[in-house]
Amino acid sequence: MYKINFKHPIHVHFIGIGGISMSGLAEVLLEEGFTVSGSDNKPSPLTEKLEAAGVSVFYGQKASNITEGIDAVIFTAAIHEDNEEYQEAARRGIPMLTRAQFLGQLMTNYEMPIAVSGTHGKTTTTSMLSHILLKAQADPTISVGGILNAIGGNIRVGHSEIFLTEACEYTNSFLEFFPKIGIILNIDEDHLDFFKDLADIRRSFRKFAELIPADGYLVINGEIENLEEIAGNLPCKVVTYGMDSRMDYSAANISYDELGRVSFDFLKKGDFAERISLSVNGDHNVSNSLSALAAADILSIPADVSGRGLNEFGGTKRRFEYKGEVNGIAVIDDYAHHPTEIKAALKAAESYPHREMWCVFQPHTYSRTKALFHDFTDALLLADHIVLADIYAARETDTLGVTSEALAEELREKGADAYYLPTFEEIEKFCLENCQKGDMLITMGAGDVVNIGEALLK
């Protein structure tokens, strides 16, 4: 495989530069003195930021974007061999790397690369650990899969030996990484358009754990089923976290304030270390913060410093994000697109002040909706009222015969107050007519459902 020498800047071209991760990696190379160009389908705040920094961005993926002088090409998992730009780079014999391969190479430049993996909670946990590292003045380089206000975007280029990134299991991309500290938050059925089943996903996480060297650490949720299968007989040190005080890091005496924000006693080996007060909601965030506290402890950051860092974390965009109020109705947005995430978000919402809870859900991909159909309806039952938008296709074209209308029908059969409306305009009108003062409206999904709440607020 072609290797980039980060000490000798060259011209690197990104196919799909507007993605949250790709745009961040482009910024890292810019900071290192590389010449950067790239392409994407349409302008966005991320591409506009890159253009302002001096990156040549082409809109529309055409062969002509591959200009003379390009030394290497990075492309995302969404780019296939029939892509015009990809084909032209291959025809010219330009070395090409996937985003994951490039990110893995970048990690080898740092003495302490940290990779946060898991089916759910990666962005939130990476953001929590980012706040801790910043509070500890550790000067890390950070690549996060969301917009984090503390770093003014999705990337921060630091000058220490700490590199922090998310590690996604989809297409096994995290197996290209080289973590010194690897975090596994949870392992659930997802991305079944790529993985065969849960056993296949678990094998992938086991391989990720095996990447950690003997002098490294695996920080793992001790509540994962058959833990030994993932964490047994590894060369690295294994530390566990969870709600059970027998784990290396745990939580006790959990309480909530009037806005549903969580506080808990942080325990190390069962002994009290610090009272932690989060500025986010939900028991799932207690678990996320425990993994961040464990990693910080490995890095010798005092618990009180970690606690102050966590308290300053108010969430990332699209993670139980308060958007505003319309006609006395609180509008919240959440990225949840898997039944486990939906349950966690709706349970967190229960402790947030409201009269009745309305959930506008946009399923994400046909394959996920079909594979987890009954799990989706079970999770959505936690809301008082459910409104279904059409399925967001993302990378898929085959509908697999599954629809949001069918989800709504099953919800009604289970006794839920559920509706299916085919357009955002109809959903917006319906919500304005039916939500009442004091209600909470949560737009939920990984597609463009966020636009519904923003349209209502306008």
Side-chain angles (χ1 to χ4, degrees), residues 11-17 36-40 55-59 65 85:
H11 181 174
V12 176
H13 182 83
F14 289 78
I15 307 177
I17 200 166
V36 178
S37 61
S39 66
D40 219 296
V55 176
S56 299
V57 180
F58 303 93
Y59 295 105
N65 299 344
E85 231 170 303

Side-chain angles (χ1 to χ4, degrees), residues 46-106:
L46 291 172
T47 59
E48 286 160 9
K49 183 183 176 189
L50 289 170
E51 286 183 287
V55 176
S56 299
V57 180
F58 303 93
Y59 295 105
Q61 291 172 344
K62 302 182 288 290
S64 58
N65 299 344
I66 304 298
T67 56
E68 288 297 324
I70 292 173
D71 300 298
V73 168
I74 315 293
F75 61 97
T76 69
I79 302 301
H80 302 296
E81 290 182 10
D82 59 356
N83 178 282
E84 225 183 283
E85 231 170 303
Y86 180 102
Q87 288 178 338
E88 179 61 16
R91 189 188 70 77
R92 290 182 181 229
I94 299 170
M96 288 195 279
L97 296 169
T98 65
R99 180 198 68 87
Q101 287 169 337
F102 171 68
L103 184 48
Q105 288 190 17
L106 186 59

Side-chain angles (χ1 to χ4, degrees), residues 6 30 43 135 186 316 334 385 456:
F6 293 92
L30 270 181
K135 180 55 70 177
N186 37 60
T316 54
D334 199 280
H385 313 277
L456 289 172

Side-chain angles (χ1 to χ4, degrees), residues 28 106 132 147 230 249 256-257 269 306 340 349 361 369 391 415:
V28 172
L106 186 59
I132 292 172
I147 302 302
I230 309 297
Y249 300 92
Y256 310 88
D257 70 8
K269 301 282 188 187
S306 295
T340 304
F361 178 59
T369 308
I391 296 168

